[in-house]
Amino acid sequence: MSGRITEVLEELRRGDLSAREELLQLVYAELKRLAAIQMNDQPAGHTLQPTALVNEAYMRLLGDGKSMAWESRAHFFRTAARAMRSILVDFARAKTALKRGGKAPRITFNEEIMSDGALTYELLAVHEALERLEERDSDMSRVVELRFFCGLTVEETGRVMGMSERSVYHVWEHARAWLFREISR
Amino acid sequence: MSDSRRLGEILAEARPLAPDARRAYLKRACTNQAERAEIESLLSASETMGGFLEQPAAKVLAETDGDYEPGDRVGGYEIERLLGRGGSGSVYVALQGQPHRRVALKVMAGGVYSASALERFRAEAEILGRLKHPHVAHVYEAGVSEQRPFLALEYVDGAQTLLQYAASENLDRRARLMLFVSVCDAVHHGHQKGVIHRDVKPGNVLVDPAGRPKLIDFGIARADDGPTREVVGTPPYMSPEQCELDRDVDLRADVYALGVVCQELLTGRAPHRVTGVPAAEAMRRLREDEPETPSAADRTLRGDLDAILSKATRRDREERYPSASALAADVRRHLRAFPVEARDGGVFYHVACFARRHRGVFTAGCALVVVLVIAALMNRSLANEREQERQEAEWQASLANLAAATGALRVHDVSEAKLRLKLVPKHLRNWEWDHLWSRTDRSVALVQATRSAIWSGVVSPDGNLVAAIVRGDAAIAEQDNALHLMDRRTGSRRVFLSGDIDRRDCAAFDPQSRVIAVGHGSGKIRWHALDDGHIVRTIDAHDKTIIDMEFAANGTLVTGSRDKTAKVWNRDGSLRYTLTQHTDRVIGLAISADDTLLATGDRAGVIRIWNLASGALRQTITGHTSSVEGLAFSPDGERLASASRDQSFRLWRLSDGSMIAKSFAHEGNVRDVAALPNGRFVSASWDGTLRVWHGVTGRALGTLAGHESRVVRVGVDRTRERIVSFSMDGSVRFWRWDDVESVRTLRAHKDRVSRVAFLRDGTLLASGSDDRALRIWSLETGAPLHRAAGLPRLAYLERVDANTLIGGVGGWLRKWTIGTTVTHTDRRVPTLSMLANAFYDRARKRLFLPCRQRVAVVDAKKLQVAFSIPVGAASVTTVTVSTDGKRLYSVGGDHTLRVIDIATRRILRERQIGCVPMDLAVVGRELVVPIEGAIHIVDGATLATKRTLASRTGAIYAIAVSPDGSRIASGGFDRALRLWDYRTGQSVAVLRGHRFPIFDIQFSPDGDCIASCDGSTEDVMSSIKIWERHRRSS
């Protein structure tokens, strides 16, 4: 499998965009597996650690990855952020039993047991709004995926996006305001 | 540079600038008007978004926020150190400057808190502030710092949690139970004040080194906002009902948690072992699994404690103890070796308890006969005692719920208020219950269209049909979004269109044919025949979602869209013209009554007025800082009302575009506005309320509360004169235009209102004021009917009969007769000068007037002093007479309460009370006397205090007794109207609303209505309030 992913990344680097979907599926499957392990093995109250998960997925799929071209690493992380978003959204959906229409119940546990704060509900709203943002500006939506869903810092996001920190910050602030406006409409 | 980056940069640069500098900067930096509008809209979003998205998604859990360092300041507190972190926030030890003390500072987790969430937090904190109990950690202050709510709490130095303390002190079972009983008392105190803890657990009970328990985190876990419900609590202490998302939770959840705490305290483990179990699984087990009995963990607990703890932790809360105090009482009974209620013990159990109590006396040789005799005696008294206890517990629970409902109503939280009121058993529903219930929902009719949310709705021009766009909900078998159609004539409701409907769709009834037009997310408009739904016509109207549409009376259709245009369509569906001048989505639309003007509002907050026939732009109105979502012309077309996401309602003068009024009374987005034919406007808001506004001044006239979630649309049914509102709670509600509130304020006096009196059967009210006028009000309309000026300041005003009043001051009195006109007779009473609170004995038609050291008795018919009674050495201020008319009660400057036989003029008894009460009242053979802020119920013969009404209030200026004698109303300096249960002496409701101290209170003759008056010297805001038991149906 690790061989296949290297190939896919190489195809992508050469500009074969059809490989994108395959990469996403590979990374998603691996992350989902790791996330399940991470959540099941831990007592309740444990927080999913996306950055750690993505790094672990990277290690498992690509070894130390030192030989990796910069673009391939970036591709991997962008894809992983996207996959992470799906995982978290699935997670939130399952938990809030969204089938019950718009009135997603909030689940706020105190102290020891998991508490997912007021954000569970917002998380799904962010996801929906982000779909609309994607249509307008893919940079903005990617930055949100990396920062919010994947938990990367501004600096890490800059490396993955090939942007200066300053630019990441500006795009991020723009996206936050945009999404907030969209959600609170 | 990409567009997003550049806009982001402008945003980041502009945000910190002052308004002027910002304007200048934007002018320079933006390349065009559209960009500038977009930036401005983003700026307003970024100013309110707070820490939105700052927390990575995965940290939806345990939002750590150890971002305060020692030395940081939060509110007026200086952080010393972090004490702990929890799901809802962090707790710090902090120092307060004034008064200088150490506090525990609980700072809620960072996140987005809406204005209404913060308001609720404050309201909740205010209730917490009223908790004063030696075993409840006191809340000193609630505030908001950097958008994060915080609470300053009593800090317990050197504290351990309950289990730690019990272990470290190696407490025996008895000591543990005594400690537990104190915790029950603390929880019960909260319940009496209407606060449910919701998270009782050993970690929330701190024990100080002296062994005093302090309950912390009372009800703090609630910062709920909007239509969602939270699950709050900590397994394994959560009751089964708390584990169900949709169940309401009442004080019995705390009883359950107390049971679990006690079991853990005694056995070292909780009945359910769920530590480390994933939440969903833990909750399932709590809901479904049988708990472990205490005796299974420790066999020595068999018997009483097994029974007590099992009763406390029953899965069905109906089977639990009805209150924490009932649980405590049973534990106390066990400690004193009395039979416990939890055990359905037979004769031998009771005899055994008896024996335990009287170990020395009860020897083994007792004959069975003796046992049976004792048992028979005991059973009877026990049954009595138990019944009394049950009633007492039920009563306490009801008081708690009434208090909670009153609090909820103050913040317009109708659903919470209703929930609490429904928990009060029917036989305990009295005046206050009826009054509070009438305030929960003032709509006159309700169609619960669906259990899922309504996103939009519209009323047909004749008012007969109501269409609602309903969101699909798989859970209730309504899979698809749908358009529901309700016929008001037949009361029928049907799913009209299903499937091809989006929540963003909008609809409008064609005024000239039986057709409804639906604007779709795709930009299409479809016309459907109302009888069978078949599509009459479809057009591709817009490039993007149609946000709103509106028909003119002549059948012209206007549409507004996300594509930043508004279009006007002819009756045949052909496009008349497109309005392209908008810089952002067109959201609000309105057409004037005469079809000449069109108003559009866009997302940038700009309102434009167009000539409907030609499409010429007449006027641009700016002022709103966020999107304009609803518009309405006044019936005469001279004014325009606007509703905006900036949370304001505004009224504009169209002749010059000037703003007449702006109000932020709504606590959420104002989503829609409609004009009423009576000239008023009504707005609908996400805060769950509708508000009615004066059509010319824009003054707020009232609030219509009843919806349990966001109100998304408002329309008008002209035929039935109804306001129609659509809400995400799934209901459509109908309200009267001239709705009469169950609390009304009458305001016209220009100075303190000192006296009120009901006339007729309670349909008229008279009021006397320091502005030297007597006013007569219609209580049907709230209108002042008559004003008689030029009076002295009235010291008393008494109802003589349905049409007659008597009032006066000093040596002067006047009798008014209220017929079709108001006439009066005056009388000088030469010997009298210093008059205070007079009393009119209705049965004997005599007025008792205090006059220095005597009380003059005036014949009300002749208006002449019949005789006078000497009442001691000091001036009398207040008098009343016993129900049989034989005894006079007086108080005066010598601080002495006296009872005097009227026939013999003999003073029967005196009592020093150390103050001069401003009012007295008689109930049966008892006398109600306010003594220094406490209300004493005094024996009418001995003058000894028999009981005191529960809590102390400020100085009391007025008391009134309901005609059936079940309720006392009191009011005074603290501005609250308090209702007390006469029998138990407990406070049953505290009604707030008065701005100034209350000087008089009267029940209407039928007892359904209370009038109270307040005032401050020369303050025109002085008012009368009318509190009704039921909403008037007229």
Side-chain angles (χ1 to χ4, degrees), chain B residues 517-742:
Chain B
V518 180
H520 288 276
S522 57
K524 280 188 173 45
I525 307 174
R526 290 209 180 95
W527 279 260
H528 295 266
L530 282 175
D531 354 312
D532 58 1
H534 82 265
I535 297 173
V536 178
R537 183 190 302 132
T538 303
I539 55 169
D540 281 313
H542 284 274
D543 298 336
K544 290 185 177 165
T545 305
I546 298 172
I547 298 174
D548 197 8
M549 55 204 294
E550 192 93 22
F551 275 104
N554 63 21
T556 305
L557 176 67
V558 184
T559 53
S561 162
R562 229 175 141 96
D563 68 9
K564 304 182 183 177
T565 67
K567 296 187 182 182
V568 177
W569 310 85
N570 294 315
R571 279 201 53 70
D572 59 5
S574 60
L575 179 67
R576 193 182 301 166
Y577 54 77
T578 303
L579 303 173
T580 54
Q581 288 95 322
H582 299 95
T583 59
D584 209 328
R585 297 174 190 175
V586 181
I587 300 177
L589 293 175
I591 297 168
S592 63
D594 60 1
D595 287 356
T596 58
L597 298 177
L598 165 68
T600 60
D602 69 14
R603 203 166 61 147
V606 180
I607 300 169
R608 292 178 178 81
I609 312 290
W610 317 79
N611 182 316
L612 182 62
S614 67
L617 179 64
R618 284 178 43 141
Q619 181 169 15
T620 303
I621 298 174
T622 53
H624 278 295
T625 57
S626 186
S627 72
V628 175
E629 316 230 314
L631 291 166
F633 284 97
S634 62
D636 58 10
E638 287 179 9
R639 288 170 304 281
L640 181 77
S642 59
S644 165
R645 214 161 69 78
D646 67 14
Q647 309 200 350
S648 70
F649 164 89
R650 298 183 198 219
L651 186 64
W652 311 86
R653 190 176 293 110
L654 289 178
S655 56
D656 57 359
S658 64
M659 187 162 70
I660 302 167
K662 164 169 80 169
S663 167
F664 288 91
H666 277 299
E667 289 165 8
N669 295 352
V670 192
R671 192 61 191 83
D672 200 7
V673 60
L676 300 175
N678 63 7
R680 295 174 175 180
F681 291 101
V682 57
S683 59
S685 164
W686 279 15
D687 67 9
T689 67
L690 296 142
R691 282 180 193 261
V692 180
W693 310 87
H694 193 277
V696 178
T697 62
R699 194 160 47 82
L701 296 175
T703 306
L704 304 177
H707 278 298
E708 299 179 16
S709 182
R710 295 170 174 178
V711 188
V712 291
R713 288 280 168 185
V714 58
V716 178
D717 172 356
R718 282 157 202 278
T719 318
R720 292 169 195 79
E721 305 197 340
R722 294 284 185 264
I723 296 165
V724 185
S725 60
F726 300 85
S727 162
M728 285 171 78
D729 65 12
S731 73
V732 181
R733 279 168 200 260
F734 301 84
W735 318 75
R736 278 197 317 275
W737 284 348
D738 52 349
D739 184 73
V740 179
E741 295 185 48
S742 45

Side-chain angles (χ1 to χ4, degrees), chain B residues 320-358:
Chain B
R320 286 179 215 149
Y321 288 100
S323 70
S325 73
L327 168 59
D330 232 11
V331 175
R332 284 197 176 97
R333 270 192 287 270
H334 165 75
L335 287 169
R336 296 199 311 258
F338 277 85
V340 302
E341 186 195 293
R343 265 176 100 172
D344 183 21
V347 169
F348 287 99
Y349 168 63
H350 288 285
V351 174
C353 287
F354 188 81
R356 253 173 77 206
R357 292 201 295 277
H358 306 279

Side-chain angles (χ1 to χ4, degrees), chain B residues 4 175 178 246 285 507 545 575 580 828 884 984:
Chain B
S4 62
M178 311 258 282
D246 268 348
R285 285 196 209 169
T545 305
L575 179 67
T580 54
R828 287 234 149 244
D884 62 7
T984 64

Side-chain angles (χ1 to χ4, degrees), chain B residues 243-311:
Chain B
C243 297
E244 276 170 55
L245 292 173
D246 268 348
R247 277 296 288 280
D248 51 287
V249 166
D250 64 19
L251 56 88
R252 288 170 294 185
D254 286 350
V255 172
Y256 178 94
L258 283 168
V260 177
V261 167
C262 188
Q263 189 160 337
E264 193 171 4
L265 190 61
L266 297 180
T267 68
R269 57 193 211 212
H272 288 280
R273 261 155 290 158
V274 289
T275 318
V277 174
E281 170 63 11
M283 286 172 50
R284 190 199 59 77
R285 285 196 209 169
L286 290 172
R287 276 199 311 269
E288 296 170 9
D289 289 1
E290 272 309 318
E292 181 185 64
T293 58
S295 58
D298 178 349
R299 289 178 54 77
T300 63
L301 293 173
R302 269 183 313 174
D304 283 358
L305 288 169
D306 231 359
I308 290 174
L309 297 180
S310 304
K311 186 175 167 72

Side-chain angles (χ1 to χ4, degrees), chain B residues 34 40 53 142 193 197 237 265 274 282 382 394 419 468 497 503 551 684 750 816 828 872 889 903 919 934 954 969 1023:
Chain B
E40 269 167 352
L53 298 191
K193 300 278 173 177
H197 191 295
Y237 311 97
L265 190 61
V274 289
L382 271 172
E394 189 176 57
L419 197 86
L497 301 173
R503 67 178 167 88
F551 275 104
K750 295 183 171 53
W816 288 271
R828 287 234 149 244
Y889 297 97
D919 207 352
S1023 73

Side-chain angles (χ1 to χ4, degrees), chain A residues 39 42-50 88 95 99-123 126 128 132 136-137 139-140 144 147-149 151 163 166-167 169-185, chain B residues 4-5 7-9 11-12 15 38 41-42 45-46 48-63 86-88 112 199 201 221 225 228-235 238 245-246 276-279 283 451 471 473-475 503-504 562 585 587 603 629 645 669 686 728:
Chain A
M39 289 313 280
Q42 303 286 342
H46 185 77
T47 311
L48 201 64
Q49 305 283 339
L88 288 167
K95 227 171 3 183
K99 299 245 161 15
R100 303 150 22 80
K103 291 187 180 179
R106 280 187 193 174
I107 304 187
T108 319
F109 287 99
N110 269 8
E111 322 286 294
E112 295 93 340
I113 288 282
M114 50 197 298
S115 76
D116 48 14
L119 276 171
T120 313
Y121 190 42
E122 270 96 325
L123 191 140
V126 170
E128 278 176 28
R132 297 193 282 279
R136 295 174 51 117
D137 191 308
D139 271 5
M140 282 210 277
V144 174
R147 299 268 295 120
F148 180 62
F149 286 100
M163 283 175 162
R166 206 176 128 78
S167 296
Y169 176 72
H170 289 151
V171 173
W172 170 238
E173 283 304 299
H174 183 191
R176 283 208 310 139
W178 196 94
L179 288 169
F180 184 79
R181 184 180 63 184
E182 193 72 10
I183 287 172
S184 35
R185 253 204 66 75
Chain B
S4 62
R5 234 176 281 184
L7 288 187
E9 188 173 355
L11 199 60
R15 204 161 39 179
E38 168 72 359
S41 150
L42 286 172
S46 84
T48 47
M49 71 184 173
F52 179 66
L53 298 191
E54 299 278 42
Q55 290 276 36
K59 278 212 193 154
V60 281
L61 318 184
E63 295 175 27
S88 52
V112 188
D199 197 17
K201 58 183 174 186
D225 179 25
T228 56
R229 237 186 241 301
E230 282 180 306
V231 172
V232 174
T234 312
M238 281 165 81
L245 292 173
D246 268 348
V277 174
M283 286 172 50
R451 275 170 50 213
R471 173 158 178 156
D473 187 338
R503 67 178 167 88
R504 281 185 283 266
R562 229 175 141 96
R585 297 174 190 175
I587 300 177
R603 203 166 61 147
E629 316 230 314
R645 214 161 69 78
N669 295 352
W686 279 15
M728 285 171 78

